[in-house]
Amino acid sequence: MTHTEITNLMAENMRIMGRLSSRLNAVFEDCSNKTRQQMSVLVRLYLAGKIKLKDFANREVISTANLCSVFKKLEQDKLVMRSIDPNDHRDTWYEVTKAGKNLAEKLIDKFMLALEGLCKVLPTEDEDKLAETVKIMNGILKKMEVLNA
């Protein structure tokens, strides 16, 4: 198989995954006074752990200006806290608070249940094939990530 064929298959898989993931967005719409973006950032910060603003922005491909406004709202809601790096006052660290951790864990649980719901419609044979394929694909993608770091 050529690189072009692999690229086309990966692009098709990404489009399909995008459509499936849009069905999972409802998980992040449960918090009536928070946007989906705020909830998504909260969960990703929870998973990342304490991290510098610029590192998180780079990792998540979000502009620092946009991220600052999201973090500011989450900080006002006491879901995120920030601290200034004592060694370099230009750097700001962010992490979730206990309330942020609780909400992020709830959202992750709901996300996993919703994802499980998408998989439940598959016949057992297809579930088994998908599980094996995803394991293989995850291993290869991790290698690809390291080689392109």
Side-chain angles (χ1 to χ4, degrees):
M1 185 170 283
T2 68
H3 289 119
T4 302
E5 291 170 316
I6 293 170
T7 301
N8 288 335
L9 282 171
M10 288 181 68
E12 182 181 358
N13 285 345
M14 291 171 79
R15 286 189 296 272
I16 294 167
M17 294 289 272
R19 288 192 301 270
L20 288 172
S21 70
S22 69
R23 295 180 185 177
L24 300 172
N25 284 336
V27 168
F28 297 112
E29 294 167 0
D30 268 4
C31 304
S32 58
N33 63 339
K34 302 191 183 39
T35 67
R36 185 174 52 81
Q37 183 187 33
Q38 289 167 345
M39 293 299 86
S40 178
V41 166
L42 177 69
V43 168
R44 293 184 338 234
L45 179 62
Y46 167 75
L47 295 172
K50 187 175 182 177
I51 191 167
K52 290 180 186 176
L53 173 72
K54 63 184 176 186
D55 293 342
F56 188 79
N58 288 336
R59 175 182 158 171
E60 299 298 329
V61 194
I62 302 172
S63 73
T64 53
N66 190 22
L67 190 56
C68 275
S69 67
V70 172
F71 277 157
K72 185 175 185 176
K73 177 63 177 144
L74 292 172
E75 189 177 10
Q76 289 169 350
D77 294 341
K78 305 211 182 315
L79 297 171
V80 166
M81 65 180 168
R82 70 182 163 99
S83 57
I84 304 299
D85 189 323
N87 300 321
D88 186 348
H89 295 291
R90 297 169 295 178
D91 283 334
T92 306
W93 291 84
Y94 284 88
E95 62 186 311
V96 296
T97 62
K98 185 175 181 182
K101 176 182 183 273
N102 291 338
L103 180 54
E105 288 174 348
K106 258 190 241 180
L107 289 167
I108 290 169
D109 288 345
K110 288 179 75 173
F111 180 86
M112 296 303 282
L113 282 172
L115 188 55
E116 188 176 319
L118 290 177
C119 295
K120 281 184 178 178
V121 301
L122 292 174
T124 304
E125 183 181 309
D126 286 346
E127 258 186 24
D128 293 342
K129 286 178 187 176
L130 180 62
E132 186 58 35
T133 302
V134 170
K135 285 178 190 175
I136 292 167
M137 195 167 158
N138 284 350
I140 293 168
L141 289 173
K142 285 175 186 176
K143 285 179 191 174
M144 187 192 293
E145 186 178 32
V146 168
L147 294 171
N148 286 288

